[in-house]
Amino acid sequence: MHLVADPEFWVLLAVVIFAIVVWKPMRRAVVGTLDERAMRIQGELEEARKLRDEAERLLADYRQKEREAEADARAIIAHARDEAERIAAQSARDLEQSLERRQRLAEERIAQAEAKALDEIRAAAVDVAIAAARDVIVSELDERRGAAMLDAAIAALPQRLR
């Protein structure tokens, strides 16, 4: 009975009753808040997992695209190299044909120039021979012999024209 008279006992009893009375409604609120927070955290974790999975898929897709782009780049480079070699070979062939054509034209021009020079030399030789023959004929012919030769040449003209 000594406890009933002690004020500390009554304070302790009041605190325990107060805690029990307050704890029941508070417990629901605290547990509800904790449950909500746990559910929110669970949702965030699930969302984070989904985002991580999506990021891994995107990373895998980008790596695949990177490999494909690298393969495409190698193919483009190989094609460009082949095309450049083909163009270089074609250019070399075209250059060789052009040089051959120019050499042929130069040789033809040289041949034409030689033929022209020969014709000019022949014409000059003919002119010199005609002039020399005229001088010889003039010095050795008299009028009688010249008229006889002229008559003979006129008579032979129809036979030579045939």
Side-chain angles (χ1 to χ4, degrees), residues 145-155:
R145 277 178 60 187
M149 283 177 70
L150 188 58
D151 289 339
I154 291 173

Side-chain angles (χ1 to χ4, degrees), residues 15-161:
V15 167
V16 170
I17 291 173
F18 177 76
I20 291 174
V21 169
V22 170
W23 176 249
K24 285 245 179 194
M26 280 298 273
R27 182 175 165 251
R28 285 188 201 131
V30 169
V31 169
T33 303
L34 290 175
D35 285 344
E36 285 177 19
R37 186 168 181 199
M39 299 246 308
R40 185 172 41 99
I41 290 172
Q42 183 70 23
E44 288 175 0
L45 287 174
E46 191 63 35
E47 181 70 21
R49 251 186 243 115
K50 286 179 185 177
L51 289 174
R52 187 188 74 206
D53 291 343
E54 184 178 342
E56 287 175 353
R57 276 195 311 275
L58 286 174
L59 180 63
D61 288 345
Y62 286 129
R63 285 186 179 159
Q64 177 66 29
K65 287 179 182 178
E66 180 184 18
R67 286 190 296 272
E68 290 172 359
E70 210 172 281
D72 289 345
R74 281 193 296 270
I76 289 170
I77 289 170
H79 176 70
R81 189 175 295 123
D82 293 343
E83 190 69 18
E85 288 173 0
R86 185 189 65 76
I87 289 171
Q90 181 65 35
S91 295
R93 282 192 303 270
D94 291 347
L95 178 63
E96 189 174 322
Q97 289 173 353
S98 175
L99 290 175
E100 287 175 2
R101 199 171 32 250
R102 286 184 180 190
Q103 183 177 359
R104 227 180 17 255
L105 287 173
E107 288 171 355
E108 288 175 4
R109 285 182 185 158
I110 289 170
Q112 288 173 354
E114 286 176 352
K116 184 177 177 184
L118 284 176
D119 289 343
E120 288 175 0
I121 291 172
R122 284 183 186 144
V126 167
D127 289 343
V128 169
I130 290 174
R134 184 179 307 129
D135 289 343
V136 168
I137 292 174
V138 167
S139 68
E140 291 189 11
L141 278 183
D142 57 359
E143 235 178 80
R144 217 171 11 123
R145 277 178 60 187
M149 283 177 70
L150 188 58
D151 289 339
I154 291 173
L157 188 62
Q159 289 176 348
R160 287 190 178 167
L161 290 177

